[in-house]
Amino acid sequence: LKSSECGATVIKEGTSNDAGERMDYKPDPGNHFCIVKGTSKNTGRGPLESVTNLDQVQGSDGLTYEASYDDADAASWTAPEGTVATGYMVDGFNPGETLNWVAIYQLPVGVTVAAVVAEDDFGAPIAYLQTK
C-alpha cells in the first residue's frame, strides 16, 4: 500500500443529488473517512477487467469494516488522473503492468486502517495488505 490517511470529515463533490449535481459527501455521524491508496501489479497470464475487490479493511481496533456503495462512488469521483477506484472496470490491465488505485472507507472517529482485506471472487479473505 502506498498510503492511508484518516480523519477527513468531507469528500468535496464526492456524491450527487437526484438532479445529478455534484455535492460534498459527509460520513455517517461518529465516523470519519479513511482514504487508502495503493498499487497493484497484474501477475497473471491475461488481462484483468477490474481491480481486486478491496471492500473491507481491518481497523486499528481489530474490527472489520466494509466500504458502502456511496464510499466506492466517492472514490471513483475523486480518484486522481491515472488512478482507478477499487471495484470499477479498467481498460487493458495486462500482465506485468501496474495500476494505481484508491478506496474510501468510513471508520469510527479515532480508528485508523491497519490493513486492507483482499477477497477472492466468493468474498473470502485471501490477503491482508498492511498499511505503513
Side-chain angles (χ1 to χ4, degrees):
L1 296 179
K2 285 184 176 181
S3 68
S4 173
E5 296 177 29
C6 294
T9 57
V10 66
I11 304 293
K12 295 288 185 186
E13 298 186 1
T15 191
S16 61
N17 61 19
D18 292 337
E21 300 167 320
R22 301 303 310 160
M23 300 172 37
D24 291 347
Y25 179 50
K26 296 181 180 178
D28 295 335
N31 288 348
H32 64 150
F33 291 115
C34 292
I35 302 165
V36 179
K37 297 176 182 174
T39 300
S40 293
K41 182 175 183 175
N42 182 349
T43 59
R45 295 181 168 267
L48 298 175
E49 295 177 355
S50 69
V51 180
T52 302
N53 203 5
L54 303 171
D55 288 340
Q56 297 182 347
V57 291
Q58 189 175 63
S60 58
D61 59 0
L63 300 176
T64 300
Y65 299 91
E66 185 169 277
S68 70
Y69 172 81
D70 290 336
D71 298 337
D73 190 43
S76 73
W77 278 102
T78 60
E81 184 72 30
T83 303
V84 66
T86 61
Y88 280 79
M89 302 302 287
V90 294
D91 185 31
F93 185 25
N94 293 307
E97 293 180 342
T98 57
L99 184 70
N100 294 317
W101 55 265
V102 64
I104 295 176
Y105 307 92
Q106 287 190 48
L107 278 67
V109 171
V111 177
T112 59
V113 174
V116 177
V117 182
E119 301 174 337
D120 66 14
D121 291 338
F122 303 103
I126 56 174
Y128 293 88
L129 311 174
Q130 301 297 313
T131 60
K132 293 180 181 179

